[in-house]
Amino acid sequence: MAKPVTEWVNVTGDISIIARESGEVWFRTLSGTKKLVDPFATPMTGVGSAGSTVGLLDGAINLGFARIEQRLARPDFTLAGYIVALVGAYHTSVDTPRNLLRAAKRFEQLGRPEVAAYLEERAREETGHDRLALKDLRALGVPAERLVANFIPVGIKPLCKRFDDLCVQDYPIGCIGYSYCLERIAALKQKSDVERVRTLCPDGVDATRFLRSHSALGSEVSHVEETIAFVATLPANDRITVVQETYQSALIMAEGYNHELLKSEAEILEELQQALGEPLPYRQVPSRQVPSHSEEHGAQQPA
Ligand SMILES: [Fe+2]
Ligand SMILES: [Fe+2]
């Protein structure tokens, strides 16, 4: 019988994530002389498995978010905040197909047609998602094109830049880690998150197209599963880079989302008004409290 797979990746300074095929995951701090006898002190070289790969990837996201866990914002959940989240969703999806195809072309040049084919498929799957966000904004009576042209939420900018940068690298395997991070967080959103947004929207308005598509109700779950299966087949060096980039993306995402969530309603309305050159046209709806921590990664930020 084959030995169960164990994978490990050093993600930051002296913290490594170790994951077993069985699903067990733990974080290990490498320190001092222990390195001499620590079997996890040198990079892994073996094969991957789906069970250990998902442990590493999700461990990287948890670690990234844990860095700001103590100071995560818990704002009121408002329609203005949701509009900003839709603008963020637009910006994190508008360049995705082009970026993925660019990375795919590079892997074609590098003689890695299997990576190119995976990225091309992802580019196809993500095509048109920016338009879902635009439709949602229009449904809310917001001049969508003008708003997204004039406004990128400050907390979203570094995330967009990270993906742009990753996709133009000479060896752009890290873009898979970035995509996994965004899709995994999106896939945490449940029907209750969608319902909560619906209660904020004016009667008869459906502004949840992007959110539904990027939640457990839409395609994100299968995108996540496909990525785990694919990453598990990659050589060890690639898996290491993908996990490290998942961690870096989680850090940027956590900081960026927190930045946006810390804004007051007045600040949000002011930003939107400046971008539009006029006040938001929608009818104000009373704000509601975000009820739980697990939902705040999701509902306020549809991207
Ligand atoms: Fe998408
Ligand atoms: Fe997706």
Side-chain angles (χ1 to χ4, degrees):
M1 206 170 89
K3 207 175 151 205
V5 172
T6 299
E7 295 188 70
W8 63 95
V9 175
N10 178 256
V11 282
T12 173
D14 61 354
I15 301 179
S16 293
I17 309 170
I18 304 167
R20 288 206 174 119
E21 193 173 356
S22 60
E24 281 172 275
V25 182
W26 69 99
F27 300 101
R28 187 175 176 97
T29 304
L30 307 173
S31 59
T33 54
K34 279 187 186 167
K35 281 182 188 170
L36 298 173
V37 290
D38 191 333
F40 304 112
T42 52
M44 65 177 177
T45 54
V47 296
S49 74
S52 44
T53 296
V54 69
L56 292 180
L57 292 169
D58 287 356
I61 292 175
N62 286 332
L63 203 59
F65 271 87
R67 295 287 287 266
I68 64 155
E69 199 73 24
Q70 299 305 315
R71 53 189 174 90
L72 271 175
R74 287 168 174 70
D76 286 350
F77 182 53
T78 67
L79 194 49
Y82 183 63
I83 287 171
V84 172
L86 283 171
V87 175
Y90 168 83
H91 286 294
T92 54
S93 53
V94 65
D95 293 328
T96 300
R98 182 175 54 87
N99 276 338
L100 289 173
L101 288 175
R102 182 171 182 149
K105 203 169 163 192
R106 181 66 189 138
F107 278 108
E108 205 63 72
Q109 292 166 348
L110 290 167
R112 297 285 301 277
E114 80 289 3
V115 183
Y118 165 81
L119 293 171
E120 282 166 6
E121 174 66 19
R122 307 317 317 272
R124 268 193 297 277
E125 288 171 348
E126 296 301 324
T127 298
H129 286 189
D130 54 318
R131 290 200 292 275
L132 296 177
L134 289 177
K135 279 184 182 171
D136 288 338
L137 287 166
R138 274 188 224 118
L140 289 166
V142 176
E145 279 77 7
R146 188 170 6 134
L147 183 58
V148 299
N150 294 339
F151 179 44
I152 303 181
V154 171
I156 295 298
K157 257 188 210 169
L159 211 49
C160 297
K161 181 174 181 332
R162 186 76 181 179
F163 192 47
D164 291 348
D165 291 348
L166 286 168
C167 289
V168 298
Q169 285 182 351
D170 284 344
Y171 192 76
I173 199 80
C175 71
I176 297 176
Y178 169 97
S179 296
Y180 181 84
C181 182
L182 260 68
E183 295 192 314
R184 183 70 181 91
I185 297 284
L188 293 174
K189 290 170 220 158
Q190 302 297 319
K191 196 173 172 203
S192 57
D193 296 306
V194 176
E195 292 305 325
R196 204 153 56 104
V197 169
R198 285 210 171 105
T199 64
L200 290 182
C201 295
D203 286 346
V205 168
D206 176 16
T208 63
R209 293 170 186 83
F210 188 95
L211 180 58
R212 276 183 281 130
S213 164
H214 296 78
S215 74
L217 307 180
S219 49
E220 290 301 53
V221 176
S222 63
H223 293 177
V224 165
E225 285 168 357
E226 286 161 18
T227 298
I228 292 164
F230 179 70
V231 172
T233 67
L234 290 171
N237 278 346
D238 287 349
R239 300 200 310 278
I240 291 170
T241 306
V242 169
V243 171
Q244 289 170 334
E245 190 48 50
T246 301
Y247 170 72
Q248 290 300 330
S249 299
L251 271 183
I252 294 170
M253 192 173 176
E255 288 289 350
Y257 279 14
N258 211 39
H259 178 90
E260 291 302 319
L261 292 168
L262 281 167
K263 284 178 186 160
S264 69
E265 179 78 353
E267 285 173 302
I268 294 172
L269 288 170
E270 174 64 25
E271 272 190 339
L272 291 171
Q273 179 164 344
Q274 284 215 351
L276 287 171
E278 61 186 355
L280 269 184
Y282 71 80
R283 176 170 56 89
Q284 287 287 331
V285 179
S287 63
R288 287 156 214 266
Q289 198 70 33
V290 174
S292 75
H293 165 66
S294 67
E295 288 176 287
E296 107 222 342
H297 292 164
Q300 187 89 346
Q301 293 287 349

